[in-house]
Amino acid sequence: MNMQRRELLKAASAAGALGSLGLAGCATGGAGVPDKTRVLVVGGGYGGATAAKYVRLLSGYKIDVVLVEPNDAFVSCPISNLVLGGSKTLADITVPYAGLSAAHGVRVVKDTVASIDPAKKLAVLASGPSIRYDKLVLSPGVELMWDSVAGLREANAQGTVLQAWKAGPETLALRRQLEAMPDGGVYAITIPEAPYRCPPGPYERACQVASYFKTAKPRSKVLILDANPDVTSKGGLFKKVWAEQYPGMVEYRPQHKTTAVDAKAGTVKFEVQGDVRADVLNVLPSMRAGAIAVQTGLANANARWCHVNFLNFESTVAKDIHVLGDSIQLAPAMPKSAHMANNHAKVAAAAIVAELNGWEVNPAPLLTNTCYSFVDAKNVIHVASVHEYVAAEKTFKTVAGSGGVSSAPSELEGVYAWNWARTIWADALG
Ligand SMILES: Cc1cc2nc3c(=O)[nH]c(=O)nc-3n(C[C@H](O)[C@H](O)[C@H](O)COP(=O)(O)OP(=O)(O)OC[C@H]3O[C@@H](n4cnc5c(N)ncnc54)[C@H](O)[C@@H]3O)c2cc1C
């Protein structure tokens, strides 16, 4: 019986409730669980799922990996704007976690980590039990800073002003708002100051909504109200698309820092400019590291993001806690993207396996990034970059001459974009 098959059978028998995983109350390993070296992964998104799989793979399936994630399945943010545009469904961007357990023996626990005790190396689940770890990987994504926009928390709770910046039911709710909007109405998206999750994401979303309006409600408008001084990613390309593909429909306004929403009146207020009214308001507030990272005291960069050692992604304040993805304080020119989170995870997984085995950690890691944006249902533009670790500065820097941007949108890049999505889903979860 090969190793993978053995793991598959082990995982199958281990699947299900926490008790049957042998993890319940297992501060010291739990009855029936061999006291193996354990990596606990918090968050099954792009960073966490990839890290869980790669710690298993790179350790020759010797390290026990437990992944805690509250959602039933992985729902991808990349491509989720196409659900708003109407050319894709939520089912098209949903991947089950079964692959991680069946093919790689990752023990997936459907729960939320409520607190972490770095001194005792314990994570407490919202349902009560705690899990011991030797190394903890934290990839909780972003927390939306509701209080940065007055009235937004209440408006979101009432379902009137949505964000849909975590793909799932809110993506569908926003799509329904767009469908219900009369022809001649206005959709407005507000963008916070960088850094925020996915620099080109809001501009891609504007294109997707415009693409839907162009056929379904051609008298409608898309307003982009950006706190930044200019488009933060692929600016020239997006502006050309808005002017040529959606003339008179998409309007871009920089320097619009949102301070408040009035859901009843349908208005947004800004630090400097006058109020704007819209039929569908899609207000993105400022963002910070996922709540569990902030709560654990790891957000030591402006109380928002987590500084890490870029050789192993270990928090600079908590030993054996490795933070990945959107939650970290970025290196120069590094975007908060799924591709990056996936790459962080591989560097971290290799370092974790090396450290747990007493091997040397790779002193020269490399990261790559490609972000594709759909400007309609089929045509796509991209930005790409390569980032190398610069030991003298203890950070990643882009490799001179690497990467670049598309010259124009094309259907061929649309094919590449879909292949990128399928490949990264298989890489992280398959
Ligand atoms: C509309 C949109 C479009 C995008 N398009 C692209 C794109 O085309 N290309 C690209 O590269 N990137 C894109 N991104 C960015 C990308 O989605 C993020 O950068 C990526 O998801 C970051 O990965 P992560 O692991 O940090 O967080 P996530 O993928 O968000 O994963 C975090 C996970 O942690 C879980 N979690 C949080 N707290 C806890 C806890 N206490 N206990 C247990 N689990 C917890 C959450 O449920 C979640 O599953 C897009 C984002 C958006 C919003």
Side-chain angles (χ1 to χ4, degrees), residues 58-104:
L58 298 175
S59 71
Y61 294 101
K62 287 200 180 77
I63 295 175
D64 185 29
V65 176
V66 177
L67 169 67
V68 181
E69 164 61 49
N71 292 320
D72 287 324
F74 168 96
V75 184
S76 175
C77 283
I79 316 285
S80 69
N81 283 330
L82 275 67
V83 177
L84 296 174
S87 61
K88 293 291 164 198
T89 66
L90 215 53
D92 294 325
I93 58 169
T94 301
V95 186
Y97 284 113
L100 278 181
S101 37
H104 302 290

Coordinates of all heavy atoms in Angstrom, one line a residue, residues 58-104:
L58 N 5.6 18.1 1.8 CA 7.1 18.3 2.0 C 7.6 17.5 3.2 O 8.8 17.3 3.3 CB 7.4 19.8 2.1 CG 7.0 20.7 0.9 CD1 7.3 22.1 1.2 CD2 7.9 20.2 -0.3
S59 N 6.7 17.1 4.1 CA 7.2 16.3 5.2 C 7.1 14.8 4.9 O 7.3 14.0 5.8 CB 6.5 16.6 6.5 OG 5.1 16.2 6.4
G60 N 6.8 14.5 3.7 CA 6.6 13.0 3.4 C 5.4 12.5 4.2 O 5.4 11.3 4.5
Y61 N 4.4 13.3 4.4 CA 3.2 12.9 5.2 C 3.5 12.5 6.6 O 2.7 11.8 7.2 CB 2.4 11.8 4.4 CG 1.9 12.2 3.1 CD1 2.5 12.0 1.9 CD2 0.7 13.0 3.1 CE1 2.0 12.4 0.7 CE2 0.2 13.5 1.9 CZ 0.9 13.2 0.7 OH 0.4 13.7 -0.5
K62 N 4.6 13.0 7.1 CA 5.0 12.6 8.5 C 4.4 13.6 9.6 O 4.2 13.2 10.7 CB 6.5 12.5 8.6 CG 7.1 11.3 7.9 CD 8.5 11.0 8.5 CE 9.1 9.8 7.8 NZ 9.6 10.1 6.4
I63 N 4.3 14.8 9.2 CA 3.8 15.8 10.2 C 2.3 15.8 10.1 O 1.6 15.8 9.0 CB 4.3 17.2 9.8 CG1 5.9 17.2 10.0 CG2 3.7 18.3 10.7 CD1 6.6 18.5 9.6
D64 N 1.7 15.8 11.3 CA 0.2 15.9 11.4 C -0.3 17.3 11.1 O 0.3 18.2 11.7 CB -0.1 15.5 12.9 CG -1.5 15.4 13.2 OD1 -2.3 15.0 12.3 OD2 -1.9 15.6 14.4
V65 N -1.2 17.4 10.2 CA -1.7 18.8 9.9 C -3.2 18.8 10.2 O -4.0 18.0 9.7 CB -1.4 19.2 8.5 CG1 -2.0 20.5 8.1 CG2 0.1 19.2 8.2
V66 N -3.6 19.8 11.0 CA -5.0 20.0 11.3 C -5.4 21.4 10.8 O -4.6 22.4 11.0 CB -5.3 20.0 12.8 CG1 -6.7 20.3 13.1 CG2 -4.9 18.6 13.4
L67 N -6.4 21.5 10.0 CA -6.9 22.8 9.4 C -8.2 23.1 10.0 O -9.2 22.4 9.9 CB -7.0 22.6 7.9 CG -7.7 23.8 7.2 CD1 -6.9 25.1 7.2 CD2 -7.9 23.4 5.7
V68 N -8.3 24.3 10.7 CA -9.6 24.8 11.2 C -10.2 25.9 10.3 O -9.5 26.9 10.0 CB -9.4 25.3 12.7 CG1 -10.8 25.8 13.2 CG2 -8.8 24.3 13.6
E69 N -11.4 25.7 9.9 CA -12.0 26.6 8.9 C -13.6 26.5 9.2 O -14.1 25.4 9.2 CB -11.7 26.2 7.5 CG -12.6 26.8 6.4 CD -12.5 28.3 6.3 OE1 -11.4 28.9 6.3 OE2 -13.6 28.9 6.3
P70 N -14.2 27.7 9.4 CA -15.7 27.6 9.6 C -16.6 27.3 8.4 O -17.7 26.8 8.6 CB -16.0 29.0 10.2 CG -14.9 29.9 9.6 CD -13.7 29.0 9.5
N71 N -16.1 27.6 7.2 CA -16.9 27.4 6.1 C -17.0 25.9 5.6 O -16.0 25.2 5.7 CB -16.5 28.3 4.9 CG -16.8 29.8 5.2 OD1 -17.8 30.1 5.8 ND2 -15.8 30.6 4.9
D72 N -18.1 25.5 5.0 CA -18.3 24.2 4.5 C -17.4 23.9 3.3 O -16.9 22.8 3.1 CB -19.7 23.9 4.0 CG -20.7 23.8 5.2 OD1 -20.3 23.3 6.2 OD2 -21.8 24.3 5.1
A73 N -17.2 24.9 2.5 CA -16.4 24.7 1.3 C -15.6 26.0 1.0 O -15.9 27.1 1.6 CB -17.3 24.4 0.1
F74 N -14.6 25.9 0.2 CA -13.8 27.1 -0.2 C -14.5 27.8 -1.3 O -14.9 27.2 -2.3 CB -12.4 26.5 -0.7 CG -11.5 27.5 -1.4 CD1 -10.5 28.1 -0.7 CD2 -11.7 27.7 -2.7 CE1 -9.7 29.0 -1.3 CE2 -10.8 28.6 -3.4 CZ -9.8 29.3 -2.7
V75 N -14.7 29.1 -1.1 CA -15.3 29.9 -2.2 C -14.3 31.0 -2.6 O -13.8 31.7 -1.7 CB -16.6 30.6 -1.7 CG1 -17.3 31.4 -2.8 CG2 -17.6 29.6 -1.1
S76 N -13.9 31.0 -3.9 CA -12.8 31.8 -4.3 C -13.3 33.3 -4.5 O -14.3 33.6 -5.2 CB -12.3 31.3 -5.7 OG -11.4 32.2 -6.2
C77 N -12.5 34.2 -4.0 CA -12.7 35.6 -4.3 C -12.3 35.9 -5.8 O -13.0 36.6 -6.5 CB -11.9 36.5 -3.3 SG -12.6 36.7 -1.7
P78 N -11.1 35.4 -6.2 CA -10.8 35.6 -7.6 C -11.9 34.9 -8.4 O -12.3 33.8 -8.1 CB -9.5 34.8 -7.8 CG -8.8 34.9 -6.5 CD -9.9 34.9 -5.5
I79 N -12.4 35.6 -9.5 CA -13.5 35.2 -10.4 C -14.8 35.6 -9.8 O -15.8 35.5 -10.5 CB -13.4 33.7 -10.8 CG1 -12.0 33.2 -11.1 CG2 -14.4 33.4 -11.9 CD1 -11.5 33.6 -12.5
S80 N -14.9 35.9 -8.5 CA -16.2 36.2 -7.9 C -16.9 37.4 -8.5 O -18.1 37.5 -8.5 CB -16.1 36.3 -6.4 OG -15.4 37.5 -6.0
N81 N -16.1 38.3 -9.1 CA -16.7 39.5 -9.7 C -17.5 39.1 -10.9 O -18.4 39.8 -11.3 CB -15.6 40.5 -10.1 CG -15.1 41.3 -9.0 OD1 -15.8 41.6 -8.0 ND2 -13.8 41.8 -9.0
L82 N -17.2 37.9 -11.5 CA -17.9 37.4 -12.7 C -19.3 36.9 -12.3 O -20.3 36.9 -13.1 CB -17.2 36.3 -13.4 CG -16.2 36.8 -14.4 CD1 -15.0 37.5 -13.8 CD2 -15.7 35.7 -15.3
V83 N -19.5 36.6 -11.0 CA -20.8 36.3 -10.5 C -21.7 37.5 -10.4 O -22.9 37.5 -10.8 CB -20.7 35.6 -9.1 CG1 -22.1 35.3 -8.5 CG2 -19.9 34.3 -9.1
L84 N -21.0 38.7 -10.1 CA -21.8 39.9 -10.1 C -22.1 40.3 -11.6 O -23.2 40.9 -11.8 CB -20.9 41.0 -9.5 CG -20.6 40.8 -8.0 CD1 -19.7 41.9 -7.5 CD2 -21.9 40.9 -7.2
G85 N -21.2 40.1 -12.5 CA -21.4 40.4 -13.9 C -22.5 39.5 -14.5 O -23.0 39.8 -15.6
G86 N -22.7 38.3 -13.9 CA -23.7 37.4 -14.4 C -23.3 36.3 -15.3 O -24.1 35.4 -15.7
S87 N -21.9 36.2 -15.6 CA -21.5 35.1 -16.5 C -21.1 33.9 -15.8 O -20.9 32.8 -16.4 CB -20.3 35.6 -17.4 OG -19.2 36.0 -16.6
K88 N -20.9 33.9 -14.4 CA -20.6 32.7 -13.6 C -21.5 32.6 -12.4 O -22.1 33.6 -12.0 CB -19.1 32.8 -13.2 CG -18.1 32.7 -14.3 CD -18.1 31.3 -15.0 CE -17.4 31.4 -16.3 NZ -17.7 30.2 -17.2
T89 N -21.5 31.4 -11.8 CA -22.3 31.2 -10.6 C -21.4 31.0 -9.4 O -20.2 30.7 -9.6 CB -23.3 30.0 -10.8 OG1 -22.4 28.9 -10.9 CG2 -24.1 30.1 -12.0
L90 N -22.0 31.0 -8.2 CA -21.2 30.7 -7.0 C -20.7 29.3 -7.1 O -19.5 29.0 -6.7 CB -22.1 30.9 -5.8 CG -21.4 31.4 -4.5 CD1 -20.7 32.7 -4.8 CD2 -22.4 31.6 -3.4
A91 N -21.4 28.4 -7.7 CA -21.0 27.0 -7.8 C -19.7 26.9 -8.6 O -18.8 26.0 -8.4 CB -22.1 26.1 -8.5
D92 N -19.5 27.8 -9.6 CA -18.3 27.8 -10.5 C -17.1 28.1 -9.7 O -16.0 27.8 -10.2 CB -18.5 28.8 -11.6 CG -19.6 28.4 -12.6 OD1 -19.8 27.2 -12.8 OD2 -20.2 29.3 -13.1
I93 N -17.2 28.8 -8.6 CA -16.0 29.2 -7.8 C -15.9 28.6 -6.4 O -15.2 29.1 -5.6 CB -16.0 30.8 -7.7 CG1 -17.3 31.3 -6.9 CG2 -15.9 31.5 -9.0 CD1 -17.2 32.8 -6.5
T94 N -16.7 27.5 -6.3 CA -16.7 26.8 -5.0 C -15.9 25.4 -5.1 O -16.2 24.7 -6.1 CB -18.1 26.5 -4.5 OG1 -18.7 27.8 -4.4 CG2 -18.2 25.8 -3.2
V95 N -15.0 25.1 -4.2 CA -14.2 23.9 -4.2 C -14.4 23.2 -2.8 O -14.2 23.9 -1.8 CB -12.7 24.2 -4.5 CG1 -12.0 22.9 -4.7 CG2 -12.6 25.1 -5.7
P96 N -14.7 21.9 -2.8 CA -14.8 21.3 -1.5 C -13.4 21.1 -0.8 O -12.4 21.1 -1.5 CB -15.4 19.9 -1.8 CG -15.1 19.7 -3.2 CD -15.0 21.0 -3.9
Y97 N -13.5 20.9 0.5 CA -12.2 20.7 1.3 C -11.9 19.2 1.3 O -10.8 18.8 1.8 CB -12.4 21.1 2.7 CG -12.3 22.7 2.8 CD1 -13.3 23.4 3.2 CD2 -11.1 23.3 2.6 CE1 -13.2 24.8 3.3 CE2 -10.9 24.7 2.7 CZ -12.0 25.4 3.0 OH -11.9 26.8 3.1
A98 N -12.7 18.3 0.7 CA -12.5 16.9 0.7 C -11.2 16.5 0.2 O -10.6 15.5 0.6 CB -13.7 16.2 0.0
G99 N -10.7 17.2 -0.9 CA -9.4 16.8 -1.5 C -8.3 16.9 -0.5 O -7.4 16.0 -0.5
L100 N -8.3 17.9 0.4 CA -7.2 18.0 1.3 C -7.2 16.9 2.3 O -6.1 16.4 2.6 CB -7.4 19.3 2.1 CG -6.9 20.6 1.5 CD1 -7.2 21.8 2.5 CD2 -5.5 20.6 1.1
S101 N -8.3 16.4 2.7 CA -8.3 15.3 3.7 C -8.1 13.9 2.9 O -7.3 13.1 3.3 CB -9.6 15.3 4.5 OG -10.7 15.6 3.8
A102 N -8.9 13.8 1.8 CA -8.8 12.4 1.1 C -7.4 12.2 0.5 O -6.9 11.1 0.6 CB -9.9 12.4 0.1
A103 N -6.9 13.2 -0.2 CA -5.6 13.0 -0.9 C -4.4 13.2 -0.1 O -3.3 12.7 -0.3 CB -5.6 13.8 -2.2
H104 N -4.5 14.1 1.0 CA -3.3 14.5 1.7 C -3.4 14.2 3.2 O -2.4 14.6 3.9 CB -3.0 15.9 1.4 CG -2.9 16.2 0.0 ND1 -1.8 15.7 -0.8 CD2 -3.7 16.8 -0.9 CE1 -1.9 16.1 -2.0 NE2 -3.1 16.7 -2.2

